[in-house]
Amino acid sequence: MTETAEPQQENPLLEGLGLRRAPDPCALVIFGASGDLTRRKLFPALYSLAMRHMLPERFAVVGVARSEETDDEFRERMKEAVQEFGRDQFKEDVWDWLAEGMRYVSTDFADEGGEDRVVEALNELDEQRGTAGNRVYYLAVPPDAIATLIQEIGERRSTEGWTRVIVEKPFGRDLTSAQALNVEIGRHFDESEIFRIDHYLGKETVQNLLALRFANGIFEPIWNRQFVDHVQITVAESIGIEGRSGFYEQAGAIRDVFQNHLLQLVALTAMEPPIDFTADSVRNEKVKVLRALHTPGPKHVVRGQYGRGFVEGVEVPGYREEEGVAPDSLTETYVAAKLYVDNWRWADTPFYVRAGKRLARRETTIAIEFKRAPHPPFEITDDEGLRPNVLVCHIQPDEGVSLEFAAKMPGQGMTLRTVHMDFLYGGAFRTGIPEAYERLLLDCFLGDTTLFTRADEVEEQWSLVDAMVAFWKRDKPTFPNYAAGTWGPAAADDLTRRDGRTWRRR
């Protein structure tokens, strides 16, 4: 990078982010550097951080994967990835600074000789780039490779500087495997050095949920069972499995999305105010919610699998027709459940949650529906005229918050209509929203674990999922049971209809 593009010591952007200091010098090691995550998310995020001078001035990246590749080939491939997937205008001087500190090591993850070559590359970068022995290891690898890598890294960790490890989801396949993985990582790393990543927690709109609740006096007093009728959380995708049949056949919707993303949104919605915004204070409150979740019975859980259908006017195949999927597969692509948080704040307030693929549209929302006005002082002739008030947090794609309330229509008489008061990130701040991985990578470089899941948090999530999956072993569902491009199986509608409620369709 040219002199004008080098990171500055005094950076007002850091202050704007609420950061009191710049990250320490460090080297980032990405295991699985040939994968889609590295190409689509990690390097575009690193480039955006470099563009804004948020990376350490002394910084390096080592890519590690099985495929044969030279340093220059790796640099060129990542350059193309940044140009294709990055959110910023590509600037050669920014890229040149980042590329100068990039290295590539080809090795099998279980090859001890290859791991030694990784250490050699890091030691060279310590001398050339001044990374001071500080290491961040990013494990973007299949779950069965994590334990081996943890052991290899732990045995070779530098005696100088600090070491941190980022582990991608899924963290285990069930409670037993997650506990075993926690024990293995705990042999080599302290909990403060472990960053179990859930990219949903890095989304600006998810973090804004905490600001919405705890920084505004108008919301927190009514954020409880006395005023809230129910909560709906939707994580809907219009895409299919995108060529990931090998992973998805093992995971299904409950392990891919429900166990992590969806339960994290439940915890953030239901948690008590933390005493401060330190990592342990926030995570302590989330764990309390997860422990208070009542295991739903079979009647309160619905699973589904998509068949053929139309998404945005284009015909798409059913799940069993996807490449690599068994023609009689019983893997679920949709999960809905009615959950209860058994504590003082939320007792008897249902949380309706759903997550699925090939649904009508891409949408992640948290809807807080309040109880109806107990006694309107005027006659309502239209049942639709006075619907309940709803506060909706739009996580993606239209990031923002909307409030639905009743207003009188102009003219004679008292005719009411539901109107919307909207806050949109793009309109209010007129700036691009950072990608989740930008925030999460920067937090790891800073050593801030607030937006990462803790060991007991992960185990509580798996405990609930294991109990739900146990019910499924007793029956054989009739799949497919919903058409692609719809909102899921009919049984999901019954889940809310039995309680006199309906899923939101907008």
Side-chain angles (χ1 to χ4, degrees):
M1 183 186 282
T2 64
E3 184 175 353
T4 57
E6 290 181 356
Q8 305 167 4
Q9 292 185 356
E10 294 184 4
N11 189 351
L13 288 172
L14 293 178
E15 296 179 7
L17 285 174
L19 303 180
R20 290 171 289 182
R21 61 182 177 84
D24 296 333
C26 65
L28 172 65
V29 184
I30 303 175
F31 287 96
S34 61
D36 266 2
L37 179 67
T38 303
R39 191 169 64 94
R40 291 173 176 266
K41 297 295 183 182
L42 299 186
F43 262 91
L46 289 173
Y47 176 84
S48 291
L49 291 173
M51 170 79 79
R52 290 161 179 77
H53 310 296
M54 293 178 186
L55 290 177
E57 186 173 353
R58 290 172 288 168
F59 181 71
V61 184
V62 178
V64 184
R66 293 187 178 95
S67 56
E68 293 290 337
E69 203 168 31
T70 66
D71 290 347
D72 286 339
E73 289 171 338
F74 177 59
R75 293 186 185 105
E76 186 60 30
R77 187 164 60 85
M78 292 302 103
K79 179 180 180 179
E80 293 172 358
V82 169
Q83 290 172 327
E84 182 177 358
F85 299 109
R87 71 183 179 97
D88 295 306
Q89 178 185 0
F90 187 83
K91 294 185 177 181
E92 289 288 348
D93 59 343
V94 177
W95 174 254
D96 289 344
W97 177 83
L98 189 60
E100 188 179 325
M102 289 171 58
R103 303 289 186 274
Y104 183 82
V105 177
S106 173
T107 180
D108 187 277
F109 300 139
D111 179 9
E112 293 191 5
E115 299 302 328
D116 290 337
R117 291 197 299 276
V118 173
V119 173
E120 291 172 7
L122 287 168
N123 291 337
E124 290 177 5
L125 288 167
D126 281 342
E127 295 181 7
Q128 298 170 6
R129 303 282 290 180
T131 45
N134 295 327
R135 312 279 190 255
V136 175
Y137 293 94
Y138 199 118
L139 308 188
V141 299
D144 56 5
I146 292 176
T148 300
L149 278 174
I150 288 295
Q151 182 177 351
E152 297 292 341
I153 294 169
E155 291 174 353
R156 292 170 173 78
R157 64 180 297 175
S158 174
T159 56
E160 298 181 6
W162 46 254
T163 301
R164 296 165 189 155
V165 59
I166 304 175
V167 184
E168 266 288 344
K169 76 172 186 71
F171 191 89
R173 174 176 169 77
D174 51 25
L175 177 59
T176 301
S177 58
Q179 289 173 328
L181 191 52
N182 276 330
V183 169
E184 180 62 32
I185 294 182
R187 290 196 181 105
H188 304 281
F189 298 96
D190 183 76
E191 182 64 33
S192 63
E193 300 173 317
I194 305 167
F195 293 73
R196 300 170 189 82
I197 197 167
D198 182 339
H199 73 269
Y200 259 54
L201 297 183
K203 292 181 179 293
E204 285 289 332
T205 41
V206 172
Q207 299 165 52
N208 189 58
L209 180 63
L210 298 178
L212 183 75
R213 286 189 58 187
F214 305 132
N216 297 288
I218 62 174
F219 293 123
E220 185 57 23
I222 59 172
W223 205 274
N224 55 60
R225 64 186 299 271
Q226 289 181 287
F227 298 94
V228 175
D229 179 77
H230 71 278
V231 177
Q232 290 188 25
I233 301 179
T234 296
V235 181
E237 297 178 280
S238 59
I239 60 172
I241 58 174
E242 301 291 283
R244 298 189 306 152
S245 59
F247 163 75
Y248 208 85
E249 276 286 87
Q250 297 296 316
I254 197 163
R255 294 182 175 90
D256 183 38
V257 175
F258 189 98
Q259 181 269 336
N260 38 74
H261 302 335
L262 204 150
L263 287 182
Q264 282 293 317
L265 295 181
V266 171
L268 288 168
T269 304
M271 64 184 279
E272 295 296 321
I275 58 173
D276 53 38
F277 202 64
T278 58
D280 276 341
S281 293
V282 173
R283 298 194 292 184
N284 285 345
E285 298 304 331
K286 288 198 293 176
V287 169
K288 290 177 184 177
V289 173
L290 294 171
R291 287 176 178 164
L293 281 175
H294 178 73
T295 302
K299 292 182 179 180
H300 292 162
V301 178
V302 174
R303 57 175 166 157
Q305 184 189 94
Y306 66 84
R308 277 184 167 272
F310 291 84
V311 177
E312 297 179 354
V314 178
E315 187 174 13
V316 296
Y319 177 74
R320 292 178 175 180
E321 299 171 291
E322 301 276 11
E323 184 177 354
V325 175
D328 58 350
S329 173
L330 295 179
T331 300
E332 79 287 346
T333 61
Y334 178 98
V335 179
K338 181 168 73 170
L339 304 176
Y340 285 100
V341 181
D342 291 335
N343 62 16
W344 186 273
R345 180 184 291 262
W346 295 112
D348 302 322
T349 304
F351 282 65
Y352 299 102
V353 299
R354 57 180 174 173
K357 288 191 174 294
R358 287 295 190 205
L359 299 180
R361 64 174 177 269
R362 176 175 176 252
E363 170 188 309
T364 300
T365 56
I366 302 170
I368 313 297
E369 183 165 312
F370 295 94
K371 294 181 178 179
R372 292 178 179 270
H375 180 66
F378 34 73
E379 182 181 355
I380 304 297
T381 56
D382 183 359
D383 290 339
E384 289 296 311
L386 191 61
R387 297 203 300 270
N389 303 132
V390 183
L391 182 68
V392 185
C393 298
H394 301 273
I395 308 300
Q396 62 182 19
D398 301 318
E399 294 87 352
V401 180
S402 64
L403 178 63
E404 300 178 9
F405 59 96
K408 176 186 175 298
M409 294 181 63
Q412 298 297 318
M414 184 60 72
T415 303
L416 304 181
R417 192 182 75 182
T418 297
V419 296
H420 298 77
M421 185 182 295
D422 297 318
F423 152 67
L424 297 175
Y425 264 87
F429 298 112
R430 300 187 182 280
T431 183
I433 298 178
E435 289 290 329
Y437 281 95
E438 295 175 35
R439 172 64 187 269
L440 296 174
L441 285 171
L442 182 58
D443 278 1
C444 184
F445 298 152
L446 290 165
D448 185 349
T449 57
T450 304
L451 299 179
F452 297 82
T453 52
R454 203 167 58 189
D456 53 350
E457 209 172 335
V458 172
E459 291 179 11
E460 289 296 336
Q461 291 172 204
W462 277 122
S463 180
L464 179 70
V465 167
D466 280 3
M468 294 170 62
V469 171
F471 292 127
W472 297 352
K473 296 177 181 179
R474 305 172 189 172
D475 68 308
K476 185 175 182 179
T478 303
F479 285 164
N481 59 355
Y482 72 96
T486 66
W487 279 108
D493 291 328
D494 294 337
L495 191 67
T496 55
R497 190 179 294 117
R498 286 196 299 264
D499 300 333
R501 303 180 177 102
T502 58
W503 291 107
R504 292 175 55 81
R505 297 293 193 225
R506 59 191 183 283

